[in-house]
Amino acid sequence: MSENKITSDLLRGHTDTMILRLLSEADRYGYEIVKRIAERSDGEYELKEATMYSSVRRLEADGDIEWYWGDESQGGRRKYFRITEKGRATYASNKNNWEYAKRVLDILL
Amino acid sequence: MHDKLTNYLNDLFAPYDGIKSVTELKADLLSDLQERFRELKAEGKDDDTAFEMTLDSIGDIEQTVQEVANLSHSLERQVLINFSASNLKESDFAGVSAHKGKFKASALRGANFAGADLTSSSFEASDVREANFDRANLTDCSFSTSDLTDASFRKSVFVRTNVSMSSLKGAMFIDVKLTDAKLTMTDLRKTTFENCIFHGVDFKYSDLRGMCLDGQTFIGVKFDKSALNDVSFRGATLRNVSFLSGFTWSKKYYRAIKTICFDGAMLDKLTFASLKGIGCDLSNVTVI
């Protein structure tokens, strides 16, 4: 992990959207989500387990994702998360909002 | 090291013990942490460093647990709504947590309560025929005057559960430990008990004629004034078990007691002496 970990509220505010993005590619389990985020950001953003599960519960309650038991050949059973149609729509809309905000901020800052 | 992780999480989650969704979160988190720990070790980190880094990846879990717990409390409250006098035939309640649930006078025929936590729930005067209570927690539940025909109680938790004055024809109790349960004034002639442990169970006034209770354990159990003709306790263990007939020893009761089979049973001295005194055939028992 890099020394200058950015754990600002700005990034954390987009946790839901990051998870939706990952799940729009494939179904994944908890640790996989945290790991991919660390890998993709080259260690710049480390999503904590607590933040991830809190986000996952929220997405689940909103009907953006759902879970099922995977059938692991070895070790305990894992909970896999899957994006719903509603979740894909939420992702698209969040992504649009971000593109818009980015454009405006680029002008203003 | 996995034990160390488990212990750490047990301490962390201790205040929320018993809340199902929190227990699930704990299990999910544990498997994540174990995987992370394994990976760190595979990268060549020593145990202590890997453990520290693993714990560091948890973040502020207290808040998440609190959120999950609050969410589940409100769900449990929803389950707590009154089901009295409702028609819930073949309903699925598997795995629910419904403390103090009220199911009085309900139609629950064939309902599925497998693995449910029904502590302190009331099923009085309900139709619970063919219902499935396998592995359900029935601590302090009341089933009095209920129809439990063909209900299944495999491995359920039966602490202070009250099943008096109910119909238990065809009901199955398999691998159940019954503690201080009340099975009084109940017809048990067609009920099956297999591999059960009866601790402080009260069978007062119940009809046990012809029952097979072989190989099971009875501690502090009361069979006072029960109908016991032809009951079989072959190979059973009886400690401190009471067979009082009430005010007087009627000839009828004497005759009934003598038809009980204790072959191969193990009796403590007190139970042995009292049965001997009323003329039971104890030729093939072991005194323990």
Side-chain angles (χ1 to χ4, degrees):
Chain A
M1 298 292 147
S2 95
E3 284 303 306
N4 56 336
K5 271 180 269 176
I6 309 165
T7 51
S8 70
D9 291 343
L10 187 60
L11 283 178
R12 208 175 311 128
H14 294 278
T15 307
D16 290 9
T17 318
M18 292 178 204
I19 292 177
L20 287 175
R21 159 73 194 267
L22 283 173
L23 296 181
S24 70
E25 299 162 0
D27 298 353
R28 302 184 196 279
Y29 61 88
Y31 180 59
E32 221 183 333
I33 295 175
V34 213
K35 199 167 121 178
R36 299 262 168 175
I37 285 182
E39 278 168 10
R40 280 194 195 181
S41 66
D42 254 338
E44 293 293 335
Y45 183 51
E46 191 196 345
L47 180 61
K48 298 284 186 190
E49 291 275 343
T51 320
M52 184 267 295
Y53 276 116
S54 143
S55 172
V56 158
R57 303 281 144 168
R58 199 165 42 239
L59 290 166
E60 213 184 310
D62 292 345
D64 286 327
I65 63 169
E66 52 197 17
W67 68 268
Y68 61 94
W69 288 116
D71 44 356
E72 252 68 35
S73 49
Q74 42 154 30
R77 286 202 303 178
R78 292 193 166 286
K79 228 178 231 176
Y80 277 82
F81 300 102
R82 171 168 59 208
I83 192 164
T84 62
E85 277 314 306
K86 183 175 180 284
R88 286 184 194 279
T90 308
Y91 171 69
S93 135
N94 289 359
K95 175 92 175 166
N96 275 337
N97 288 345
W98 167 246
E99 296 293 351
Y100 173 76
K102 195 164 73 172
R103 217 167 47 236
V104 176
L105 286 171
D106 271 345
I107 303 166
L108 294 179
L109 299 184
Chain B
M1 196 48 79
H2 282 183
D3 288 347
K4 213 168 147 188
L5 278 174
T6 311
N7 292 342
Y8 181 84
L9 287 189
N10 282 345
D11 286 352
L12 203 61
F13 283 73
Y16 304 95
D17 241 11
I19 300 173
K20 197 160 169 275
S21 51
V22 178
T23 313
E24 281 172 21
L25 173 64
K26 184 164 108 177
D28 294 345
L29 189 59
L30 181 64
S31 79
D32 287 358
L33 297 182
Q34 284 172 341
E35 186 165 344
R36 181 180 290 267
F37 184 80
R38 273 197 302 274
E39 285 189 5
L40 289 167
K41 285 289 292 175
E43 286 168 18
K45 303 271 190 307
D46 64 81
D47 271 10
D48 289 343
T49 313
F51 187 66
E52 281 309 311
M53 288 176 78
T54 302
L55 293 193
D56 188 50
S57 78
I58 302 176
D60 182 11
I61 196 72
E62 278 89 351
Q63 202 194 329
T64 308
V65 177
Q66 186 66 57
E67 282 168 23
V68 170
N70 288 345
L71 194 71
S72 102
H73 279 315
S74 69
L75 284 177
E76 275 167 25
R77 267 199 296 278
Q78 282 168 29
V79 180
L80 268 193
I81 54 162
N82 211 329
F83 284 113
S84 293
S86 351
N87 186 3
L88 301 160
K89 246 165 86 176
E90 291 174 24
S91 298
D92 186 7
F93 293 100
V96 300
S97 177
H99 288 206
K100 295 184 188 160
K102 289 190 171 51
F103 297 92
K104 280 187 197 171
S106 299
L108 286 158
R109 186 170 184 172
N112 183 10
F113 289 98
D117 182 357
L118 298 165
T119 304
S120 301
S121 291
S122 165
F123 292 86
E124 281 162 33
S126 291
D127 175 6
V128 218
R129 281 175 288 174
E130 294 145 37
N132 177 356
F133 290 99
D134 294 352
R135 300 180 320 285
N137 185 348
L138 301 171
T139 302
D140 289 316
C141 281
S142 171
F143 289 92
S144 70
T145 57
S146 293
D147 187 352
L148 288 157
T149 306
D150 294 325
S152 173
F153 295 95
R154 199 178 285 262
K155 292 192 176 166
S156 16
V157 179
F158 234 77
V159 180
R160 294 183 297 276
T161 311
N162 180 0
V163 204
S164 51
M165 293 174 284
S166 295
S167 166
L168 282 164
K169 205 167 144 186
M172 307 273 275
F173 291 81
I174 297 167
D175 294 322
V176 181
K177 185 176 179 196
L178 299 97
T179 308
D180 297 328
K182 254 177 103 169
L183 286 158
T184 56
M185 287 181 266
T186 298
D187 182 355
L188 297 164
R189 284 176 298 171
K190 296 272 163 55
T191 310
T192 307
F193 289 99
E194 271 175 39
N195 204 20
C196 292
I197 298 171
F198 301 85
H199 208 138
V201 176
D202 193 351
F203 285 103
K204 206 169 172 181
Y205 300 116
S206 284
D207 190 348
L208 293 101
R209 283 178 290 170
M211 276 191 88
C212 169
L213 298 168
D214 294 355
Q216 303 180 76
T217 304
F218 300 83
I219 302 162
V221 174
K222 288 192 185 111
F223 288 105
D224 300 349
K225 300 179 217 175
S226 317
L228 292 160
N229 307 57
D230 302 310
V231 174
S232 167
F233 285 102
R234 283 186 183 84
T237 306
L238 292 89
R239 284 178 194 273
N240 213 351
V241 175
S242 144
F243 290 91
L244 288 178
S245 84
F247 306 108
T248 52
W249 291 97
S250 67
K251 274 198 174 129
K252 200 176 142 202
Y253 193 76
Y254 265 119
R255 275 201 303 275
I257 287 282
K258 282 179 185 166
T259 62
I260 305 176
C261 177
F262 287 103
D263 288 352
M266 309 223 274
L267 308 177
D268 71 330
K269 285 178 184 162
L270 285 172
T271 310
F272 182 86
S274 68
L275 286 171
K276 187 97 188 151
I278 49 177
C280 280
D281 175 13
L282 299 174
S283 46
N284 290 314
V285 307
T286 313
V287 178
I288 44 174

